[in-house]
Structures are given as structure tokens and as C-alpha cells.
Amino acid sequence: MHSDNIKTGSERMPHRSLLKALGLTDEEIRRPLIGVVNSQNEIVPGHIHLDTIAKAVKDGVRMAGGTPIEVPAIAVCDGIAMGHEGMKYSLVSREIIADSVETLAKAHQFDALVLIPNCDKIVPGMLMAAARVNIPSIVISGGPMLSVNFKGCYRDFNTGMEAVGAFKAGKIDEKGMEELENVACPTCGSCSGMFTANSMNCLCEALGMALPGNGTIPAVYSERIRLAKQAGMQIMELLEKDIKPRDILTPDAIYNALCVDMALGCSTNSMLHLPAIAYEAGAAFTLDYANEISAKTPNLCHLAPAGEHHVQDLYAAGGITALMNELSKKNILKTDIITVTGKTQSENIKGHTVLDYEVIRPIDNPYSETGGIAVLKGNLAPDVSVVKRSAVAKEMLVHEGPAKVYDSEDEAIAAIYAGKIVKGDVVVIRYEGPKGGPGMREMLSPTSAICGMGLDKDVALITDGRFSGATRGAAIGHISPEAAEGGPIGLVKDGDIISIDIPNGKLELKVSDEELEKRRSSFTPKEPKIKTGVLAKYSKLVTSASTGAVLKV
């Protein structure tokens, strides 16, 4: 065991004395030491209850003969960080989390890890660390928030964001705003739609790194506590069998995750996080691979923001195992691969049928024959750009319009609220990429303002930054290369015609090659806006969004 390095032999007597200072008995020290990485804090609604999950995990570890050692991880609430400088720190936190988990695990020689995330960057950050450290590991998230019915509609965080645009447009008054404020986020848990947090928690099941139910059992259900106990017990079996993350996070597992991603219509942020996880696991891929998978994977779900259903409905319909079982009817998945259950995906999903075909469409009657996410390329995005196709109105799948160009999210929001954006426009937001932001801000405020004003079927937004999983509409992000790296998005001028063709994977700037070359010859990218602290370090080390925005020294 790794922990023998800190507890076995006469030369480790000083180390044992420190373990005893923790209150550990000789028997506890003799047992495997299991790191329980808890990202609980009192600022993230998805994490406020994780002390309950950690307690259940530790109970499970003890029941199965291990000694749980709880350690912390940071967490950022993307909703609270949204729309101001705080969002620059969100994606950066993914790398900090991965580094801190690696540091704690290696420094203290844990034998295995139980990882307790819930919200956006915490899930991929912990998965990246698991692949990097490569000791037996399992993920158990805190579960999704409930959505409640208010005046005939089930509400969520996105309801509140879009209400701001509706208020600015005079569609609701202050009383209506207050009413929505009180019902949009009614419980603890990760925000209730198929936004980034729930996308990644569901994909943990598809990757094989979490027990069935991880992505969909609501945070406030007692079943979530029972699942946490099972995860604590299961880590001891993984340790006994020496099943490690890199045994699970194979190219086939990444393939399955991409298939489930397409079937669910997950957040476009999955197109940042899956490449980063795959990179750490030694199973790197390009996003062209995602389009290949999308071409043969039907979109079976329209959860918020793409539709009216929420994750609690997906849970009631049978969850991820039922969705994967439905996909397996056409042999779309690669199911003969090991998972944290100690069984194959085929064994995990067997017998788990869809309980509500309104929520999970039959494979023979999908929302579309292709996946919920599309990768677009063209002279405006030579490397890549990404859109949540399933959340785009049919009217906007193909669109041409004049550019309205802004060099930051803040400038774009001000213009939208000032009524400067009209039907047909393509809003261009640049210098918000990983390097240029720095930090690649998630931009829900401008998209929500557009939707709240009723322009989501008339206006597109494109950016070298990224959009929230709660975003709906023709919102195209991750444009690479970014403006700060000299990408063509930096050359766009007000009034240029931009052509969007989502079905055919095209994003084009209708400007001649000669004109673009003329602009390029006199173009100097703007310097990153922040030059000190963690964001400055991040800006120097981060790679393109097209490769997952991982850090390379």
C-alpha cells in the first residue's frame, strides 16, 4: 500500500506519531488510508450540503474496513461568479483543484481517493487529478437541485437570468422579478437543468468513474446519502482489485462519454472538460472526433435549457443507465469496459429500461438523428468552435447577419441592455478566451439578456470565450484560435457579414481572403487584461480551447 510509506517500519515512527496526533488508533493506522476529498463550502449552493455526503462516504469506508481521511478542495459557484471579474477565476479553478488533489494525495500517500464534487469545474478538476495520480478512485457528487412549479412552469437558475432581460425590456415588473428570485433555486444541489455541473456528473457515469445514479439522484433525496455510503464501501473493492482511473478512463470510455453527451445535449463546456480529462488519462483526442460521434448518435433528451424537463425528470425516467441502455439498442456504445462498480458498462446498464419516453425519446424517434452538440469550423474558426445545437431555435440553425463587435463581455452586455442589438445581428465577443480573458469567462448574462428580450430566434452570439450550460439560442463559443493568439475573430469589423450553418458545421466570415490578409498585416492582438497573480500565470501556460485549455509548462 502507498500508505506504508508513512506508517510502516521503525523509521516511520515519527510519521505514526503525527497520525496519532490526529486521534487515529493503531488499528486505524494499519488499515488502508482513504483520502475523502470534500469540496464543501458555504458559498456554493451545490456544495453547502457536502458535509452530509462526506459523512456517508466515511461511514461506508469504515464499514468496508478502511480509514477515511477527509481533506478539502476549493469550489467556485459559476452562477455567483457570473457577469463580473469573478468569472475569470472559474476555469482557472479547475487546474487549481487538480493540482491540489494531486498534492494532497501524493504528499500523504493515500491508498485510494473518494472524490466529492458537484458543480462545474470541480467535477473535471477532480477527474483530471484522479487520472494524474492514478490510484483507485471513485466520484460521488452532491446531486442536482430540484426544480419547482411556479405559475405553471418549472423554474431554474436560468429563469432568473432571463428575467433580467425581460425586466429591462419591460416584460415583467419588480414584483415578478422578486417572485422568480424566491423560486428559481429552491434547494441545495447543482442547478437543476442539463447545465455544466449536471452534464459532468452524468458523464461521470458514462466514463465509468461513478456509480449508477451519480448524475441524477436529487441532492435532497435520502437515496443520495445511501449512494454515498455505497461509494465509500466500493472504493475498498477497487483498492482490493487494484482498479485504477487509467484502467477505466480509456479511449473507449471517452467515446462512451461523448456518445452520452450527444444523446443528452450536454453543456458545451463538456467540450473543454472531456479533452482535458482525456489528456491527463493519456487518451487525448481532437474535437473532430466529437463531430464523428455526433453524426451517428441521436439526440434523445431536451432538458433545460433545450426544453422543459429537468434532471429530476431524467432521474424519474430511469437516469443515465436507462439512456445508455436505449443507445445500446443500436450498438452505439462500447460497453465491454470496466467501471468503478467492478463490472462492465454492459452489466451496469442491463435491465435498466426507460420509464418515461417523453423525457428520454425512443432511439427510433429522437429529437434529431445527430447529437446535441456541434463543432463548427471555417475561416472564422480554423481550429474549432462549439454550439449546443439542441438548444438552438430552428430559425437560427442557418443564419447570416452583420457583426456587432465587442472586445469584452461587459461591453456586449451594456450594448444589449441599451437596445443596440437588433434582429439579424451577430454579436461578436472577443478577447475572452483562455489566454486573452484571461480565464475564458462563461457568459450567461448576454445570452440570457438576448433571450429575455425575445431575440433568441433572431440574434446569434459568437465568442472566443465560452457560454454557460444554461445558455440557449445560437450561442457559439470556444472559437479558436482566440483573438489574443491572433485568431481571425480578432480581425472582424462592425458590419462584416457572418454566416452560420450549424447543420453543415460551418462558421464563415464573408470577407475576401485579400481583405483578411490586409487586416492581418496590421493587426496586433491586445495584451491580456490582467498581468499579476494566478490569472497572469494561467494566461502564460494555458493552451487553446480546442485542446481543452489544459496547462502546459
Side-chain angles (χ1 to χ4, degrees), residues 51-83:
D51 52 345
T52 304
I53 301 298
K55 180 182 181 300
V57 165
K58 290 187 288 185
D59 288 345
V61 170
R62 289 191 186 99
M63 283 189 285
T67 297
I69 308 288
E70 186 175 341
V71 294
I74 67 166
V76 168
C77 176
D78 279 20
I80 295 174
M82 194 75 65

Side-chain angles (χ1 to χ4, degrees), residues 498-512:
I498 292 174
S499 172
I500 299 166
D501 185 348
I502 294 173
N504 290 303
K506 297 290 185 183
L507 181 62
E508 298 281 349
L509 181 63
K510 295 292 188 176
V511 173
S512 70

Side-chain angles (χ1 to χ4, degrees), residues 266-334:
C266 288
S267 162
T268 52
N269 283 315
S270 63
M271 293 294 105
L272 274 178
H273 301 323
L274 285 175
I277 294 162
Y279 169 77
E280 296 288 357
F285 67 94
T286 68
L287 287 181
D288 291 327
Y289 186 48
N291 260 2
E292 292 174 26
I293 292 171
S294 177
K296 58 185 178 183
T297 306
N299 178 218
L300 303 184
C301 297
H302 268 190
L303 292 106
E308 296 301 317
H309 297 131
H310 290 80
V311 180
Q312 66 203 44
D313 302 308
L314 181 59
Y315 163 76
I320 301 305
T321 49
L323 176 79
M324 293 178 73
N325 194 5
E326 192 69 20
L327 289 173
S328 71
K329 290 179 180 179
K330 288 195 174 179
N331 297 315
I332 290 173
L333 301 174
K334 299 179 180 181

Side-chain angles (χ1 to χ4, degrees), residues 133-465:
V133 176
N134 202 35
I135 57 176
S137 303
I138 191 170
V139 172
I140 169 65
S141 75
M145 184 182 290
L146 290 180
S147 172
V148 297
N149 190 316
F150 177 72
K151 293 186 176 180
C153 294
Y154 281 85
R155 309 296 180 163
D156 54 41
F157 176 70
N158 202 31
T159 303
M161 291 297 296
E162 292 188 6
V164 177
F167 177 74
K168 296 283 188 182
K171 295 185 177 184
I172 62 171
D173 58 15
E174 286 188 13
K175 184 175 184 293
M177 285 273 281
E178 184 178 354
E179 288 177 339
L180 290 172
E181 180 179 323
N182 290 329
V183 300
C185 299
T187 72
C188 62
S190 46
C191 293
S192 55
M194 192 48 68
F195 312 147
T196 305
N198 290 324
S199 294
M200 294 308 302
N201 283 324
C202 288
L203 294 183
C204 284
E205 291 187 47
L207 287 166
M209 284 296 294
L211 297 176
N214 179 76
T216 59
I217 298 171
V220 295
Y221 285 16
S222 296
E223 187 181 355
R224 173 64 56 177
I225 297 173
R226 297 198 299 272
L227 188 73
K229 290 179 181 177
Q230 291 167 4
M233 291 186 282
Q234 188 60 28
I235 194 62
M236 299 308 294
E237 180 180 327
L238 293 171
L239 180 59
E240 180 184 352
K241 293 181 177 179
D242 195 31
I243 298 174
K244 298 187 288 292
R246 288 195 174 206
D247 300 322
I248 296 170
L249 294 170
T250 62
D252 283 351
I254 300 296
Y255 170 89
N256 285 342
L258 285 164
C259 289
V260 171
D261 192 334
M262 297 301 170
L264 280 175
C266 288
S267 162
T268 52
N269 283 315
S270 63
M271 293 294 105
L272 274 178
H273 301 323
L274 285 175
I277 294 162
Y279 169 77
E280 296 288 357
F285 67 94
T286 68
L287 287 181
D288 291 327
Y289 186 48
N291 260 2
E292 292 174 26
I293 292 171
S294 177
K296 58 185 178 183
T297 306
N299 178 218
L300 303 184
C301 297
H302 268 190
L303 292 106
E308 296 301 317
H309 297 131
H310 290 80
V311 180
Q312 66 203 44
D313 302 308
L314 181 59
Y315 163 76
I320 301 305
T321 49
L323 176 79
M324 293 178 73
N325 194 5
E326 192 69 20
L327 289 173
S328 71
K329 290 179 180 179
K330 288 195 174 179
N331 297 315
I332 290 173
L333 301 174
K334 299 179 180 181
T335 57
D336 190 26
I337 55 175
I338 197 67
T339 70
V340 292
T341 64
K343 301 175 182 177
T344 64
Q345 282 287 17
S346 179
E347 293 172 297
N348 290 346
I349 67 177
K350 185 178 181 181
H352 289 269
T353 56
V354 174
L355 303 177
D356 186 345
Y357 277 115
E358 291 295 316
V359 178
I360 302 173
R361 284 279 188 94
I363 195 152
D364 292 323
N365 183 30
Y367 284 102
S368 69
E369 293 293 340
T370 55
I373 292 178
V375 174
L376 314 182
K377 288 189 174 184
N379 68 347
L380 190 49
D383 292 344
V384 76
S385 66
V386 179
V387 63
K388 188 167 184 172
R389 173 181 177 152
S390 59
V392 178
K394 289 182 180 179
E395 297 90 333
M396 292 298 292
L397 289 172
V398 178
H399 178 75
E400 276 195 9
K404 294 280 182 70
V405 183
Y406 304 97
D407 285 349
S408 71
E409 176 190 12
D410 311 275
E411 292 176 25
I413 292 171
I416 293 167
Y417 286 152
K420 295 181 180 179
I421 306 304
V422 299
K423 289 184 178 183
D425 283 347
V426 178
V427 179
V428 178
I429 307 174
R430 61 193 181 192
Y431 293 103
E432 290 287 5
K435 187 176 293 293
M440 200 181 188
R441 279 198 284 187
E442 189 175 85
M443 290 179 277
L444 183 55
S445 296
T447 58
S448 296
I450 290 291
C451 291
M453 292 175 172
L455 293 171
D456 56 298
K457 295 181 180 179
D458 302 289
V459 170
L461 294 94
I462 69 172
T463 182
D464 54 8

